[in-house]
Amino acid sequence: MSEIGGRGGSGGRPALITLTAVGKAFDVGDGTAPALLPSSLSIADGEFVVFLGPSGCGKTTLLRMMSGLLEPTSGTIAVAGNPLWDKGRCRKELRSRLGLVFQDSALLPWLTVEENVRLPLDLRGRLPRAERLSGARAMLALVGAADIGARMPHEISGGMRQRVAIARALSYDPDVLLMDEPFAALDAISREALNTELQTLWLSTGKTIVLVTHSMAEAAFLADRIVLFSPGPGRIDSAIDVPFPRPRTRDLTYSPEFQRMVRDLHERLAGLMRLP
């Protein structure tokens, strides 16, 4: 079992998410197929953690268990010391502290951008309509999409759709933002711009962010700590602290230090996969 602790660079803050021997196996025919072998990890309040590893290693499976969409087969997930799962059910009061952004924006095509962002607040129904409306508009402004609220999802670019998806996940002010390769389908220039904007959003909000990616450069640019996964059936293998100060700019990516880190990540992953 892998066990990785929190990062001292997070200001000594306590763990917000604690995974203890968390594993997942899916029913297949007459048996089961392991998707993630038991692994442990602690993530500090306000930390930016990136999950990095080959396809099929359990990164997304673990993220979905952390979000409350999948129940672990073994082990426990705790949010601020409280178990996320209780007798086979995700605890709603803890689930509300978690925001999830999918690889696809998953916007409802029959709703406007503003209505999509407002949807989680509408479903909760706890706030007056005027407050829900102002909240949705504030989140759109936060992600740089203040002027597209009246448009339909098909009328905006892929990059803008992902901004809207992030705004929707933030609409109910979760403590944690879980992101499953949100920029994978974008072109290189748009992805680079959104990486910078995501860093800015993280710095301004203080949210805890966990991001799944296959990009070593993206991981090195965004993370406080990179968690490496071994090939499937995967497990958490190790974690690497990222030493670069913030805020990080595009110029950093041209530096020898940054390139060395990306090369080191490549070599570590190649070693885990036993590639030349």
Side-chain angles (χ1 to χ4, degrees), residues 166-190:
I166 294 170
R168 180 179 59 188
L170 291 171
S171 64
Y172 51 91
D173 194 27
D175 298 313
V176 182
L177 192 60
L178 305 169
M179 310 183 78
D180 186 13
E181 296 191 77
F183 311 138
L186 303 180
D187 64 86
I189 299 299
S190 297

Side-chain angles (χ1 to χ4, degrees), residues 49-91:
V49 171
V50 172
F51 289 172
L52 183 66
S55 297
C57 68
K59 304 184 302 295
T60 292
T61 297
L62 181 54
L63 197 79
R64 287 175 177 256
M65 287 191 286
M66 292 167 62
S67 75
L69 290 180
L70 282 177
E71 183 183 7
T73 305
S74 61
T76 60
I77 300 173
V79 179
N82 300 298
L84 179 61
W85 291 88
D86 181 32
K87 298 178 181 178
R89 293 188 176 183
C90 181
R91 297 171 63 183

Side-chain angles (χ1 to χ4, degrees), residues 220-243:
F221 182 79
L222 286 171
D224 285 333
R225 189 164 48 121
I226 301 169
V227 177
L228 299 181
F229 285 66
S230 63
R235 63 176 179 84
I236 292 176
D237 177 80
S238 56
I240 302 170
D241 288 346
V242 179

